[in-house]
Amino acid sequence: MLARSTIARGLPQKIASRGMASAAAHPFHYSVGDAAGVKVASRDDNGPTTSLAVVVRGGSRYETSPGLAHGLANFAFKNTTRRSALRLQREAELLGGSFNSALSRENIVLKAKFLRGDLPYFVEALGDVLTNTKYLSYEFNEEVTPVMVAELQNFARDPAAIALEHAHNVAFHTGLGGHRLALTPKLNSNLIGSYAKQVYQKGNIAVIASGAAQADVQKWTGEFFGGLQAGNGVSSGETKYYGGENRTYSAAGNAMVIAFPGSSKAEQTVLAYLLGGEASTKWNAGTSLLSQAVGQMSGVKAVARHTTYSDAGLLAITVTGPQGSLAAAGKAVVEAVNGLANVNAETVKKAVNQAKFDAFAGAEDRSSGLEFVGQSLIASGKAPQTEDVVKALEAVSVESIKKAAAAILKGKATYTAVGDLHYLPFASNIGLQTGGNGIYRVMISQGNGGHDKNGIESGELVRRVVVIQNLCTDCLSYVVISNKPAPKVFADVDITSITTGSDNLFIGTSDGKVHVVNSSFKIVRTFSTHEVGFTQSGGAITHMKQIEGTSLLVTISEDLSSEPVLKVWALDKLEKKTGEPRCQSSLTVNNGRKQFPTTAFATTPALSTVAVGFANGSITLIRGDLIHDRGTKQRIIFESEEPITNLCFSPPGAVGKRHRHHAHATEGGETLYVSTTARVLTLSTLGKSNHPPRILDNHGCGVGCMTPALDYGSEDSILHEGGDVVVARDDALYFYGPNGRGACYSYEGPKQLVKIFKNYIALISPPASKPSTAVAGNRSGGVSETLKRLVGKAPANATADDLFEFTKFTLLDTELKFIAHSDRVVSGARDIFSSWGDFFVLALDGTLYRYHEVSLQEKLDILYARNLFVLAINLAQKAGVTDNKLRGIYRRYADYQYGKGDYDGSMQWYIKALGPANEGGVSTVIRKFLDTQRIHNLIEYLEELHKHDCATSDHTTLLLNCYAKLKDINKLQAFITQADAGLKFDVDTAIAMCRQAGYYEQAVYLAEKQQEHDIVVSIMVENLERTSDALLYIQRLEPEYAYSNLMKYARIFLDKQPQRTTGLMVEYYTGRYVPMKKDLPIEPVAPDPIPQDNVFQSYLNTSLLQQLPYMGTSQTNTPSQSNTMATTAATTSPGEGSGAIPLPLSPKPYTAPKPRTAFSSFVDHPVEFIEFLEKVLDDGEATGKLSENDRVDIYTTLFEIYLQRANSCKSKEEKRWWEAKAKKIIEAKEALVDTSNVLLLSHLADFKDGTTLVREKQGLRFDIFRSCCSAGDIPGAIRALKKYGSEEPELYPAALSYFTSSPQILRAVGEDELARVLKVIDEQGLMKPLQVVQTLGSNGVATVGMVKRYLGDTIERERKEIQQNRKMIETYRQETTKKAAEIAEVGSKPTVFQAQRCQACGLQLDLPTVHFLCKHSFHQRCLNAADGENLECITCGPTNQTIRTLKRTQDEAAERHDRFKMLLDAEGKDKFGVVSDFFGKGVMAAPPLL
């Protein structure tokens, strides 16, 4: 066994992984997409298994030759270039999956079922089947053909299937009416491979998945189906419903189908459920119309089904059961159908609910409905949704049902019957009308010299009863070349047999002679068939046969006294003695020694088998070598009581290829067709023993009324009627094949002879007064019962004998269904034959009539003259004329119908006449239909002009104007969307006309297709007012296109979508712009609010577009927004907004424009402008991308707009917030904002803090205070004093002067502030009290009471200072006196030292000891002094040193007179204090004495 890794080898590793997709929100809903040009749809219910289908538009409807679709469907999953069929099967089984293929009338479906995780493998396998199948010959012969044969055999055993198949044939003729299953000898693997190339194209297939994620299906389809050929595959003409009747014999059983035209409307589906036929409860007949109609009939079942196709439908009722009950059942069914017109609401509701249940049940089945979804996806690009189907069913009402029922009851029905035709009813028997007056509408014409002008309509060709149109005379297809007396050979001899071949005519006579006549009707040779030397007796030559393609002639001579003698003559070999042809062989035909004349004779083309029929009902079969006389064997293979009337062998294989459904014979002669007076049957000639006969029909025919369905002497004589032989009876012409009766053409009247000439059937009809040889014993007064039944009563002045009093020669064209020629043979016809390309009728009086086919142009001219244009068209198509000439006929017919006033009909033919060589007549046609009443026809014609690529810009303009006049938006939409399908027209004109007429959505669609981005945005903004979609569209454009369109409508975008527009501009100006991708799933953006009347369905799928990362909440938050922003910040990360998804792509390089270019766009949008500037600035600061000039522009603009916002705010708190942001710019980035700009903007905005900050940064603090004072800004002056007073103490004297300059200022300042100023002045000594008094007294504003405390405190302080100084002086004096006394005492009195311990070490003093006058005692060793050194108390030494240093410093300063002078000159210094200070330092002292 193969391992999974082996299977997955060569594929991406993800193929081998198996996972479960997330559950879909709507398991019944199909998502639609495109992968590498292939349409893809899927639905996902998160189940463990997946069903996958590849739907190919290539069913039997589209095949160019019978059996191609059948063969291609069975060629699926055979050997490919990558894997063998066996390997494919083993791999599928290993993975637990399965493959299958199916064929319908419209599609070939390749299916796969598997576990969910194996999706990649099965997609790859199906793609391999489509692209790499080998189509080998041996596979076709050994594997495909047996399957096709088995399917055909199963089909032949099912009478209901056969009846339904024939119902399609009758209803639709070609296309949908073609046979779904077929196998012909010419079908081979090469033809199937060619057909596969035509249908396996990207535009012709759809991949449908149930139980898989859409993204996965698109991914793998794009990877494995990319190798398919591009194209839209095959096409088929528009389906037309015809209707009619068909009856076919079958031994498999009995069935009838009654069908009516259907459609895709929900009413047709409900009609089928109303009819019903199947019970919802076991063992119960049910309550539907059909169940009630046939419920009491034993074994009878009637079921209604409605089948929907891409452009048509068929509502079919299948009735099966015993043959004896079907007639009554048919009547009951027709009555039930008529009952549809009287349904009530309850019945309709029941049918609707049943239809809804089946719709939902089908949707739950993962594998059902995939073909229908694929078919719709290929045709329209949309997937049918279950919810839409249910909605349509729920909208069905009783009135709409009655209307639909009335439509089908008034139209043509289709009726087919399969089984024992003796019991099965005709349509008229059950009350069904399949035409205007029923299917059999027969015209009986009196003799008029061969010019019968009356005609009737025709029906389907294949296997149904068809009425021949009696439209023309000999003037149409044949002219009488010679009707004068024939040569003497025809008049003077007793002719007993005639045959043709090898370009000669052979005449057998009653005396046993054969006359060979040439094309000039001269006897070139005569020889006797019973010369001396032969033992067999002679007699009349009753049968002759010239073997086509050889020089052999077979004759049968007989008389009633002996058995017939068969001889074979070699006409090219002459006897030396007599000069007559050599007799190759001779034998007596054995009839069991019964003396009965031979009535029929047949040979195979190779003369290997000969059959002879006798009047006693026996048939002798002769086998052997008759050519070389090497022995033969005879045996009687059949005996009956009815005389044998005709014998025909089955045709050889080369000819048998013409048959569509019976293509198994490879050589002629395997089957012998036998007709008696009562039956038509077949006998097998194979083997040595006799085989039982197979009865084809229980009605026989007369002698000469059965013939092979081909003319061996003509190359184009094959009749495609599904039969090998033609049988002429009084009521009709029947074709028979090995499996039964084929086509049937109703042509009433007695028949005498029938022959095939080219593609025509030649008939000799005897006078009604004479016996007919067609069906013995089936006449009443010369007219058949069938004719009487169908025609009814004859005119009052006519009798049956009057209608048929002459022998009539008729040529029928069964393919075109008309009488090509009809002529009288007054004396009666002896025989008919064809030779030399002409047809001959030999009359009983010896007159020979020769008929020659006129040229095609002559035929057409005759038809034109008689206004028989449909027949002319059919004739031209059959003849294979050129398309240009055929279009000319179409044009003639259209002109004729227009002249009659049939404008709709004429337009259809004008459209068909369109082509490359017919442009000249286009204007003429348009002028004919310019009338307003004909505008619908004109639209149809103009549409076809565009489809044929014949339209000019004027035609496009006219068509769009017509749409606008009718306000038909659906057609307009369909027209412009056809550009994707290859329709060519002047797109610029179409855009202009759509926009002018108000169809803006369509104009947008076309403009986008043409990459006219400016027009797209212009329409969406100016006309549709859909700025949201316009922004989304711009986001998809490349940078150069996006910028121009964004800036053009920036103001409008900011009005409608401020946040999104700002975000987009930020992204572009920061160099981070990336065009959006359609396949990025995001949240849709709500469109602009516009009036409901102007709402159009946008062509954009906004759910596929990506938002910008800056389109979230603004980062510029005002105080009024603070609460909201706090909440948002908790859930939104930086750079994100509501629904925003950052792009994962790197930006495409482009040069970001200067921010200044966007400034004008933000007029009247200050909030967005601020957001734009701040984010651009933040990005520039972080990345360094902004130039110095750009930064200056942004900071200056931000400063200005901050001030504007501050002035516009009503809340003081908000105003201070904006002013604080403006201050921050000046404080932090003073170098980037020009000082003059700040001062100017601050002045204009009355922003004093700005001026203040500038002066503060320049150190002009006194100017700040002075500006506040000059501006009368008392609070500002106070704040400046408090802020800068510590650094500029001089401000306090100025403040004192300003505060006391006026009473108003002083009141505003307050006594407390004045007291504080005075206190500072006093504490810092900035002014002398006298100066303060002088300042206060200069204005007379301040009162004594205001400065009383200051003055009192000053005086009291100075008083205390004086007292303190006096105390200090007194203390200094006392200390000086004391010190002087101590000095004196030391110098005059002894000093007592009582210290016991050393002041340094703390030990007991011992000698040597040093005592100082300061009363401190030390060990000498503790002083560390050398001998002779002056000792000093180490305890008092530092103090003494300090005093000495101070004294020295004073002495030095006393001599620095320059410093003394400098301090005296310094401004603001207290000169008296300086003098006092220096006086104390001894500057004024006298120099010491030397």
Side-chain angles (χ1 to χ4, degrees):
M1 294 297 290
L2 294 174
R4 184 179 299 273
S5 60
T6 303
I7 297 175
R9 185 178 299 134
L11 300 178
Q13 189 173 359
K14 290 185 179 180
I15 294 179
S17 65
R18 185 177 286 178
M20 300 294 289
S22 60
H26 304 286
F28 292 165
H29 186 83
Y30 279 95
S31 300
V32 178
D34 185 277
V38 178
K39 298 179 180 66
V40 177
S42 68
R43 64 176 186 179
D44 190 5
D45 57 1
N46 201 25
T49 63
T50 299
S51 292
L52 184 69
V54 177
V55 180
V56 183
R57 182 171 58 187
S60 58
R61 171 179 181 173
Y62 303 99
E63 61 187 6
T64 56
S65 180
L68 288 177
H70 189 193
L72 182 58
N74 284 287
F75 237 119
F77 313 116
K78 296 297 186 287
N79 291 336
T80 70
T81 57
R82 293 185 178 180
R83 53 168 64 87
S84 65
L86 177 61
R87 175 185 169 186
L88 182 66
Q89 179 179 354
R90 294 183 63 188
E91 290 177 350
E93 291 176 351
L94 180 60
L95 296 177
S98 64
F99 290 107
N100 190 18
S101 65
L103 172 66
S104 66
R105 296 189 181 276
E106 292 194 297
N107 306 300
I108 298 173
V109 185
L110 307 183
K111 302 178 181 178
K113 296 181 180 180
F114 47 88
L115 295 175
R116 183 187 185 95
D118 295 325
L119 174 66
Y121 168 77
F122 284 90
V123 174
E124 187 273 337
L126 290 176
D128 185 28
V129 170
L130 294 182
T131 55
N132 300 315
T133 300
K134 294 182 178 180
Y135 301 104
L136 301 174
S137 177
Y138 80 88
E139 281 188 309
F140 174 74
N141 295 329
E142 298 177 7
E143 299 181 20
V144 177
T145 299
V147 175
M148 297 174 68
V149 172
E151 290 177 346
L152 285 168
Q153 290 174 347
N154 292 335
F155 171 77
R157 299 187 189 103
D158 188 350
I162 298 173
L164 186 60
E165 182 83 359
H166 291 176
H168 282 83
N169 301 154
V170 174
F172 303 117
H173 290 191
T174 57
L176 290 176
H179 289 276
R180 187 175 62 89
L181 305 179
L183 177 61
T184 64
K186 67 179 181 181
L187 188 65
N188 55 51
S189 58
N190 293 330
L191 293 177
I192 295 175
S194 299
Y195 184 63
K197 292 181 180 179
Q198 297 178 25
V199 299
Y200 288 163
Q201 296 182 4
K202 291 184 177 180
N204 202 51
I205 70 172
V207 178
I208 313 299
S210 180
Q214 174 72 1
D216 294 337
V217 178
Q218 284 190 233
K219 174 183 178 182
W220 301 121
T221 300
E223 180 171 347
F224 298 124
F225 282 66
L228 284 174
Q229 180 181 354
N232 295 324
V234 295
S235 61
S236 176
E238 182 179 357
T239 300
K240 180 180 179 182
Y241 177 84
Y242 295 90
E245 181 175 2
N246 169 262
R247 291 162 53 80
T248 305
Y249 174 80
S250 175
N254 301 279
M256 299 186 304
V257 169
I258 301 171
F260 304 92
S263 68
S264 59
K265 295 183 178 179
E267 284 77 7
Q268 296 289 339
T269 302
V270 176
L271 283 177
Y273 280 92
L274 280 170
L275 292 170
E278 293 183 339
S280 58
T281 306
K282 192 174 182 181
W283 312 123
N284 195 321
T287 61
S288 64
L289 295 176
L290 293 180
S291 298
Q292 294 297 316
V294 301
Q296 303 303 320
M297 300 180 185
S298 178
V300 176
K301 185 176 182 181
V303 179
R305 289 284 187 274
H306 179 257
T307 305
T308 303
Y309 299 104
S310 58
D311 60 349
L314 193 67
L315 176 59
I317 304 170
T318 304
V319 186
T320 57
Q323 58 189 18
S325 303
L326 288 184
K331 293 180 180 180
V333 168
V334 172
E335 291 178 1
V337 173
N338 291 327
L340 289 173
N342 301 316
V343 295
N344 55 36
E346 180 181 356
T347 306
V348 173
K349 181 178 180 181
K350 176 181 68 175
V352 169
N353 289 335
Q354 290 175 346
K356 288 169 58 180
F357 174 81
D358 286 350
F360 282 123
E364 289 178 344
D365 185 355
R366 183 174 290 115
S367 61
S368 69
L370 299 184
E371 179 185 355
F372 181 65
V373 174
Q375 175 179 302
S376 177
L377 194 59
I378 295 173
S380 64
K382 299 179 180 178
Q385 307 296 352
T386 303
E387 53 267 30
D388 296 335
V389 174
V390 173
K391 288 180 181 178
L393 290 172
E394 291 175 342
V396 174
S397 63
V398 176
E399 290 73 18
S400 63
I401 284 295
K402 290 183 177 180
K403 184 177 180 180
I408 68 172
L409 292 175
K410 291 179 181 179
K412 292 182 179 180
T414 297
Y415 173 74
T416 58
V418 175
D420 191 340
L421 301 182
H422 181 73
Y423 296 96
L424 294 180
F426 288 85
S428 58
N429 297 141
I430 61 175
L432 186 67
Q433 295 295 322
T434 56
N437 296 314
I439 184 62
Y440 291 107
R441 294 186 289 164
V442 182
M443 182 66 66
I444 301 179
S445 305
Q446 297 185 11
N448 55 3
H451 297 274
D452 190 352
K453 306 291 193 299
N454 298 315
I456 59 176
E457 295 183 359
S458 62
E460 169 62 34
L461 272 174
V462 181
R463 304 197 71 176
R464 57 170 292 196
V465 179
V466 181
V467 181
I468 301 298
Q469 299 184 85
N470 194 3
L471 291 175
C472 307
T473 68
D474 55 356
C475 298
L476 172 61
S477 297
Y478 287 84
V479 295
V480 180
I481 299 300
S482 175
N483 60 355
K484 60 185 178 180
K488 184 176 180 180
V489 63
F490 295 104
D492 298 342
V493 298
D494 184 11
I495 300 176
T496 55
S497 62
I498 294 177
T499 190
T500 60
S502 300
D503 205 29
N504 288 305
L505 173 66
F506 301 91
I507 301 175
T509 63
S510 59
D511 59 358
K513 292 184 178 180
V514 176
H515 301 281
V516 182
V517 182
N518 63 10
S519 59
S520 300
F521 297 100
K522 295 182 179 180
I523 299 176
V524 296
R525 178 180 299 161
T526 300
F527 64 94
S528 176
T529 60
H530 48 82
E531 297 182 1
V532 179
F534 287 92
T535 59
Q536 291 84 353
S537 60
I541 302 176
T542 57
H543 299 86
M544 283 195 305
K545 174 72 174 179
Q546 202 281 329
I547 306 303
E548 190 66 33
T550 69
S551 60
L552 302 176
L553 178 67
V554 181
T555 62
I556 295 181
S557 304
E558 64 175 328
D559 56 27
L560 296 179
S561 61
S562 61
E563 293 181 334
V565 178
L566 183 147
K567 295 183 180 181
V568 179
W569 304 87
L571 301 178
D572 59 342
K573 297 178 181 179
L574 304 179
E575 295 289 347
K576 294 181 180 180
K577 295 180 179 181
T578 62
E580 294 183 352
R582 178 186 301 174
C583 180
Q584 295 293 104
S585 61
S586 176
L587 59 90
T588 300
V589 180
N590 179 22
N591 187 21
R593 300 186 180 277
K594 300 174 183 178
Q595 301 301 319
F596 287 92
T598 58
T599 56
F601 165 69
T603 68
T604 59
L607 201 58
S608 60
T609 307
V610 177
V612 181
F614 295 90
N616 65 337
S618 63
I619 300 175
T620 300
L621 185 68
I622 305 170
R623 282 186 176 277
D625 189 351
L626 294 173
I627 300 177
H628 303 95
D629 197 16
R630 295 176 181 175
T632 59
K633 293 183 179 181
Q634 301 185 39
R635 59 187 174 92
I636 298 176
I637 61 173
F638 178 75
E639 292 180 320
S640 69
E641 295 180 357
E642 306 99 16
I644 304 299
T645 56
N646 298 279
L647 296 175
C648 296
F649 280 107
S650 59
V655 179
K657 289 183 181 181
R658 72 187 187 279
H659 302 297
R660 295 182 179 180
H661 315 294
H662 316 295
H664 309 301
T666 57
E667 295 181 0
E670 291 84 353
T671 302
L672 177 64
Y673 290 89
V674 181
S675 70
T676 69
T677 56
R679 291 181 294 174
V680 176
L681 51 91
T682 58
L683 296 171
S684 175
T685 62
L686 301 176
K688 297 181 179 181
S689 59
N690 294 340
H691 298 275
R694 179 176 181 181
I695 307 299
L696 301 182
D697 203 336
N698 288 323
H699 299 279
C701 66
V703 176
C705 289
M706 185 174 80
T707 185
L710 68 157
D711 181 4
Y712 286 98
S714 176
E715 295 180 356
D716 56 349
S717 65
I718 301 172
L719 298 182
H720 300 280
E721 309 299 344
D724 292 336
V725 296
V726 182
V727 174
R729 298 197 188 103
D730 287 354
D731 58 345
L733 301 175
Y734 298 89
F735 284 80
Y736 291 92
N739 296 326
R741 197 175 78 184
C744 175
Y745 295 89
S746 175
Y747 184 74
E748 288 291 343
K751 312 295 191 302
Q752 178 181 342
L753 294 172
V754 61
K755 286 290 178 64
I756 302 300
F757 174 61
K758 295 185 178 179
N759 284 327
Y760 303 97
I761 298 178
L763 293 175
I764 295 295
S765 301
S769 58
K770 295 183 179 181
S772 170
T773 63
V775 179
N778 191 24
R779 292 183 301 277
S780 177
V783 181
S784 69
E785 293 295 332
T786 305
L787 184 61
K788 290 183 177 180
R789 172 172 56 81
L790 296 175
V791 177
K793 296 181 179 180
N797 59 351
T799 65
D801 292 338
D802 293 333
L803 298 176
F804 300 97
E805 77 272 13
F806 56 85
T807 299
K808 191 175 182 180
F809 164 63
T810 307
L811 276 178
L812 306 178
D813 189 328
T814 57
E815 183 174 352
L816 300 182
K817 298 173 284 294
F818 73 98
I819 298 175
H821 175 72
S822 181
D823 198 5
R824 289 182 179 183
V825 183
V826 179
S827 62
R830 179 190 299 273
D831 204 350
I832 55 178
F833 57 89
S834 62
S835 186
W836 307 300
D838 294 337
F839 197 79
F840 298 86
V841 176
L842 180 60
L844 292 175
D845 62 359
T847 302
L848 181 65
Y849 296 84
R850 181 173 185 173
Y851 299 91
H852 179 74
E853 188 175 11
V854 299
S855 66
L856 176 63
Q857 188 59 48
E858 291 178 272
K859 301 175 190 178
L860 295 176
D861 290 340
I862 295 171
L863 292 173
Y864 297 157
R866 300 183 181 184
N867 296 326
L868 299 174
F869 294 98
V870 174
L871 192 56
I873 292 170
N874 294 335
L875 186 63
Q877 290 175 337
K878 178 181 177 182
V881 300
T882 62
D883 292 339
N884 187 30
K885 188 170 183 178
L886 194 59
R887 287 191 290 269
I889 303 175
Y890 295 158
R891 182 67 178 270
R892 282 175 176 264
Y893 188 27
D895 291 338
Y896 169 71
Q897 288 188 312
Y898 184 85
K900 292 197 309 177
D902 184 3
Y903 303 110
D904 294 337
S906 64
M907 178 51 67
Q908 298 304 314
W909 291 102
Y910 278 130
I911 291 172
K912 289 186 177 181
L914 291 175
N918 292 63
E919 293 88 344
V922 170
S923 298
T924 303
V925 176
I926 293 175
R927 283 194 294 271
K928 288 182 178 181
F929 291 90
L930 285 177
D931 189 345
T932 305
Q933 297 179 352
R934 307 269 71 82
I935 191 171
H936 293 284
N937 301 120
L938 181 59
I939 288 175
E940 186 177 9
Y941 187 72
L942 293 172
E943 288 174 344
E944 292 297 329
L945 276 179
H946 287 83
K947 291 180 181 178
H948 287 78
D949 198 16
C950 300
T952 64
S953 59
D954 293 334
H955 296 147
T956 303
T957 302
L958 180 58
L959 177 58
L960 295 176
N961 279 328
C962 292
Y963 287 146
K965 187 175 184 64
L966 294 180
K967 298 181 179 180
D968 193 341
I969 192 172
N970 293 329
K971 280 194 174 182
L972 176 62
Q973 185 72 30
F975 173 76
I976 65 173
T977 54
Q978 289 177 6
D980 297 337
L983 180 64
K984 297 181 180 179
F985 54 86
D986 191 332
V987 179
D988 294 335
T989 301
I991 294 173
M993 290 305 303
C994 288
R995 192 171 185 181
Q996 181 179 355
Y999 294 108
Y1000 305 120
E1001 285 291 340
Q1002 289 70 26
V1004 167
Y1005 179 88
L1006 290 173
E1008 184 188 13
K1009 291 297 181 183
Q1010 291 296 106
Q1011 299 294 309
E1012 297 287 349
H1013 307 303
D1014 295 343
I1015 298 177
V1016 173
V1017 178
S1018 173
I1019 296 173
M1020 297 179 73
V1021 174
E1022 298 176 8
N1023 302 119
L1024 291 175
E1025 298 183 2
R1026 300 186 61 167
T1027 54
S1028 175
D1029 288 343
L1031 274 175
L1032 290 172
Y1033 183 81
I1034 291 175
Q1035 289 176 251
R1036 294 166 47 196
L1037 301 179
E1038 293 300 321
E1040 59 271 19
Y1041 300 112
Y1043 177 71
S1044 60
N1045 286 283
L1046 178 62
M1047 298 309 299
K1048 183 177 181 180
Y1049 297 101
R1051 293 188 180 182
I1052 298 177
F1053 290 150
L1054 285 167
D1055 288 338
K1056 301 294 184 179
Q1057 300 284 334
Q1059 283 298 313
R1060 294 179 56 205
T1061 306
T1062 305
L1064 180 57
M1065 295 184 72
V1066 168
E1067 184 168 348
Y1068 195 90
Y1069 276 86
T1070 55
R1072 301 178 183 275
Y1073 174 79
V1074 179
M1076 300 297 171
K1077 301 300 180 183
K1078 290 185 177 181
D1079 55 351
L1080 293 178
I1082 65 168
E1083 294 295 329
V1085 180
D1088 303 332
I1090 58 176
Q1092 186 64 28
D1093 293 340
N1094 295 329
V1095 175
F1096 289 90
Q1097 176 62 40
S1098 175
Y1099 77 100
L1100 290 172
N1101 184 359
T1102 56
S1103 65
L1104 297 178
L1105 297 177
Q1106 170 72 34
Q1107 296 187 30
L1108 288 171
Y1110 291 107
M1111 293 183 63
T1113 306
S1114 172
Q1115 294 180 357
T1116 304
N1117 306 324
T1118 64
S1120 61
Q1121 299 169 329
S1122 59
N1123 293 336
T1124 304
M1125 293 309 301
T1127 304
T1128 305
T1131 57
T1132 306
S1133 60
E1136 288 185 340
S1138 177
I1141 299 177
L1143 293 173
L1145 304 175
S1146 58
K1148 180 180 179 180
Y1150 67 94
T1151 302
K1154 290 184 174 297
R1156 174 177 288 276
T1157 59
F1159 289 179
S1160 61
S1161 302
F1162 288 93
V1163 175
D1164 299 330
H1165 295 279
V1167 176
E1168 289 75 19
F1169 194 20
I1170 293 172
E1171 180 182 355
F1172 170 77
L1173 294 173
E1174 288 180 344
K1175 291 182 177 179
V1176 172
L1177 182 61
D1178 291 343
D1179 182 81
E1181 295 288 358
T1183 60
K1185 293 181 180 179
L1186 286 178
S1187 65
E1188 191 71 17
N1189 291 334
D1190 292 339
R1191 296 173 65 203
V1192 170
D1193 289 341
I1194 293 176
Y1195 277 116
T1196 303
T1197 307
L1198 276 175
F1199 180 75
E1200 178 181 1
I1201 199 167
Y1202 285 159
L1203 295 181
Q1204 291 178 356
R1205 293 293 293 168
N1207 290 333
S1208 64
C1209 293
K1210 297 180 180 180
S1211 170
K1212 292 184 179 180
E1213 180 183 359
E1214 189 174 354
K1215 180 176 182 179
R1216 287 195 295 271
W1217 190 82
W1218 285 110
E1219 290 179 345
K1221 293 178 71 68
K1223 291 180 183 178
K1224 186 177 180 181
I1225 292 177
I1226 303 175
E1227 293 172 351
K1229 302 293 179 182
E1230 68 281 359
L1232 292 178
V1233 182
D1234 186 69
T1235 302
S1236 60
N1237 288 336
V1238 175
L1239 293 174
L1240 176 61
L1241 293 174
S1242 298
H1243 174 72
L1244 294 176
D1246 195 21
F1247 180 50
K1248 299 179 178 60
D1249 291 346
T1251 304
T1252 301
L1253 288 172
V1254 171
R1255 291 175 176 173
E1256 180 182 330
K1257 291 296 182 182
Q1258 294 179 344
L1260 304 176
R1261 300 179 182 85
F1262 205 95
D1263 290 345
I1264 295 173
F1265 179 77
R1266 188 163 41 244
S1267 65
C1268 292
C1269 295
S1270 61
D1273 184 7
I1274 298 174
I1278 295 174
R1279 288 195 299 272
L1281 179 64
K1282 292 180 179 179
K1283 184 175 182 180
Y1284 309 121
S1286 60
E1287 299 176 6
E1288 293 284 343
E1290 292 80 1
L1291 291 178
Y1292 285 98
L1296 180 62
S1297 176
Y1298 173 69
F1299 291 164
T1300 59
S1301 62
S1302 70
Q1304 295 81 7
I1305 296 176
L1306 184 58
R1307 284 196 299 271
V1309 172
E1311 295 183 7
D1312 293 340
E1313 183 63 24
L1314 181 62
R1316 189 185 72 83
V1317 171
L1318 291 172
K1319 181 180 179 181
V1320 173
I1321 293 174
D1322 183 41
E1323 290 176 351
Q1324 297 184 6
L1326 301 176
M1327 297 177 70
K1328 295 297 182 179
L1330 182 60
Q1331 293 176 329
V1332 172
V1333 173
Q1334 291 175 348
T1335 300
L1336 294 176
S1338 62
N1339 295 325
V1341 175
T1343 63
V1344 175
M1346 294 179 182
V1347 297
K1348 179 179 180 180
R1349 183 176 179 181
Y1350 167 74
L1351 294 175
D1353 292 342
T1354 302
I1355 295 173
E1356 180 66 24
R1357 183 177 64 254
E1358 289 184 353
R1359 184 181 295 125
K1360 289 181 179 179
E1361 185 177 356
I1362 292 172
Q1363 293 177 355
Q1364 184 67 26
N1365 290 336
R1366 288 176 178 174
K1367 289 179 180 180
M1368 291 181 65
I1369 292 172
E1370 183 64 25
T1371 301
Y1372 289 155
R1373 285 176 180 175
Q1374 293 176 0
E1375 290 181 356
T1376 303
T1377 303
K1378 183 179 178 180
K1379 293 294 183 182
E1382 290 179 353
I1383 294 172
E1385 185 178 351
V1386 170
S1388 61
K1389 295 180 180 181
T1391 303
V1392 179
F1393 298 96
Q1394 297 177 349
Q1396 297 180 357
R1397 293 185 178 274
C1398 177
Q1399 292 294 118
C1401 63
L1403 300 177
Q1404 188 72 28
L1405 289 174
D1406 56 7
L1407 295 177
T1409 302
V1410 179
H1411 299 279
F1412 291 95
L1413 294 177
C1414 59
K1415 301 299 181 71
H1416 296 144
S1417 299
F1418 302 90
H1419 294 112
Q1420 186 179 6
R1421 61 180 179 274
C1422 292
L1423 294 178
N1424 295 323
D1427 293 338
E1429 183 181 356
N1430 291 328
L1431 298 177
E1432 185 176 10
C1433 176
I1434 59 178
T1435 301
C1436 299
T1439 303
N1440 296 334
Q1441 182 63 33
T1442 300
I1443 294 172
R1444 285 194 295 269
T1445 302
L1446 291 175
K1447 182 65 172 68
R1448 186 171 56 254
T1449 301
Q1450 287 181 352
D1451 293 342
E1452 291 176 357
E1455 295 181 358
R1456 295 187 61 182
H1457 301 288
D1458 55 344
R1459 179 172 174 74
F1460 173 64
K1461 185 176 183 305
M1462 181 188 67
L1463 293 177
L1464 284 176
D1465 296 336
E1467 184 179 358
K1469 288 289 185 178
D1470 184 6
K1471 295 178 174 56
F1472 183 77
V1474 173
V1475 173
S1476 299
D1477 182 34
F1478 275 83
F1479 181 81
K1481 295 179 179 179
V1483 175
M1484 306 298 180
L1489 295 176
L1490 300 176

